[in-house]
Amino acid sequence: MKIENRQQLLAVVALGAVALLGFDWLVLKHLTRAWKERSTRIAELRSSVSQGALLLDREQAIRSRWDSMKTNTLPSNVSAAESEVLKAFDRWSEDSRISISSIKPQRKQTSEDFMTLECRADGFGSLSALTRFLYEVEKDRLALKVEAVEINSRDNDGQQLSLGLQVSGLLLIPH
C-alpha cells in the first residue's frame, strides 16, 4: 500500500474515531441520562398510582374513621371544650378516687382549620387509683391524646403517689 493511501486511511480512521467520540459525548451521554431520569420518574409515577389505587380501595373505611374522629373531637367553641374537658377530669377522678390538685388548660392555634387544647393536671392517690384514672382517660369517648405522664412517690413507702398528666385534644374550626 502506498504511503499516501495509508495516510489518508489513517486520517479517515482518526476523523471517524473523533466523530464517534463526539457523538458519544454530545448525544449518547445526554440520551442515557435522560433515559435514566425518565425511568426514575416512571417508577415514581407507578408508585404514586398504586398508592392512589390503594387509597381509593380503602376510601370507605378511611371516611368512616374520619367521621368517627370528627364526632369525638372537642366542641369547636373553646369555652365549651374547656368545660367538657374539666367535666371529664372530674368524672375520671371520681371514678378512680384520686384527688386532683390542679388543672391548667392552654389553647394553641397552629392552623386556621384546627386548634389544640392542652391540659396539665396534677393529682395524687394510690397506685391502683392512678392506674384506674389513666385507664379512664384512655377509654373515654373524648378524643384526648396523652402527651406526658409523670408519677412520683410522695412518701418513703410508695403508698401515696403524685401524678402529672398532660393531655391534648383537637378542636376543628368550621369554615
Side-chain angles (χ1 to χ4, degrees), residues 8-19:
Q8 287 177 346
L9 179 65
L10 288 174
V12 168
V13 170
L15 284 175
V18 169

Side-chain angles (χ1 to χ4, degrees), residues 79-91:
S79 59
E82 285 181 2
S83 173
E84 192 167 333
V85 170
L86 293 175
K87 287 177 188 174
F89 270 104
D90 287 342
R91 186 175 62 248

Side-chain angles (χ1 to χ4, degrees), residues 70-87:
K70 281 192 332 188
T71 59
N72 290 333
T73 60
L74 298 171
S76 58
N77 182 349
V78 177
S79 59
E82 285 181 2
S83 173
E84 192 167 333
V85 170
L86 293 175
K87 287 177 188 174

Side-chain angles (χ1 to χ4, degrees), residues 158-170:
Q159 297 300 315
Q160 279 293 322
L161 301 172
S162 65
L163 170 72
L165 177 69
Q166 183 172 345
V167 295
S168 64
L170 184 64

Side-chain angles (χ1 to χ4, degrees), residues 66 70 76-77 109 111-115 171-175:
W66 175 244
K70 281 192 332 188
S76 58
N77 182 349
Q109 185 161 359
S111 171
E112 295 177 7
D113 298 333
F114 67 92
M115 176 187 296
L171 287 85
L172 296 177
I173 300 171
H175 292 288

Side-chain angles (χ1 to χ4, degrees), residues 48-83:
S48 179
V49 166
S50 66
Q51 184 179 8
L54 289 173
L55 282 175
L56 286 174
D57 290 343
R58 296 183 41 226
E59 176 188 14
Q60 191 63 30
I62 292 170
R63 287 195 185 276
S64 66
R65 176 78 172 126
W66 175 244
D67 290 339
S68 169
M69 290 171 73
K70 281 192 332 188
T71 59
N72 290 333
T73 60
L74 298 171
S76 58
N77 182 349
V78 177
S79 59
E82 285 181 2
S83 173

Side-chain angles (χ1 to χ4, degrees), residues 117-137:
L117 176 67
E118 292 183 353
C119 286
R120 167 78 183 180
D122 296 313
F124 57 91
S126 66
L127 179 61
S128 62
L130 292 182
T131 55
R132 178 67 184 186
F133 179 78
L134 292 173
Y135 173 76
E136 294 293 331
V137 170

